[in-house]
Amino acid sequence: MRIALSSLSIAATLIAAPAFAEFSKVDDQSEFMELISGKELRRPFVNLEVTPDGSISGYGAAWPVTGNWTWRDGYFCRDIFWGGDPLGYNCQEVQATEDRIRFTSDRGAGDSAEFRLR
């Protein structure tokens, strides 16, 4: 009887578990703007604002982050400074889901960083 109740309990949990949405590629600037307008991009120790006028500001591990961005050929291209040090120019693939956004460096071939949209 306990095995049947345990199995039933596990099955109910699996059925009730939320479905995780898949990330989809963001191909154009207007779609990107809809995602980020009025929101902050957050991850542990990082809080950024990417504005429609092409600026980037915020903090990463208590140091200021500043920079600029443009949309070029389907990619988010940014030039940023962290604590005054240049991190350089890089064009990144953008993917999004309901409340998350992922940037992958080197036009989708490099490292990724995922942020919550708040």
Side-chain angles (χ1 to χ4, degrees):
M1 183 70 166
R2 285 185 186 185
I3 293 173
L5 287 176
S6 293
S7 296
L8 205 61
S9 191
I10 291 169
T13 302
L14 292 175
I15 292 170
F20 291 101
E22 297 273 334
F23 279 87
S24 59
K25 189 171 186 298
V26 177
D27 290 314
D28 62 61
Q29 184 175 352
S30 61
E31 182 182 359
F32 178 72
M33 293 306 305
E34 284 181 36
L35 287 167
I36 61 138
S37 288
K39 296 188 178 153
E40 293 180 336
L41 286 68
R42 293 185 182 179
R43 61 181 286 147
F45 307 107
V46 179
N47 188 0
L48 300 174
E49 185 177 2
V50 177
T51 61
D53 70 357
S55 68
I56 300 169
S57 62
Y59 288 90
W63 288 290
V65 175
T66 60
N68 297 298
W69 70 273
T70 59
W71 193 265
R72 190 168 287 148
D73 300 323
Y75 295 95
F76 172 83
C77 299
R78 57 85 174 141
D79 194 14
I80 60 174
F81 296 83
W82 179 44
D85 294 330
L87 295 184
Y89 181 82
N90 192 275
C91 290
Q92 304 179 347
E93 179 182 82
V94 178
Q95 296 178 321
T97 186
E98 296 169 11
D99 66 341
R100 297 186 185 275
I101 191 164
R102 180 186 300 150
F103 296 87
T104 305
S105 65
D106 304 325
R107 295 182 178 257
D111 294 329
S112 296
E114 188 175 313
F115 296 85
R116 291 185 77 113
L117 294 167
R118 295 270 191 191

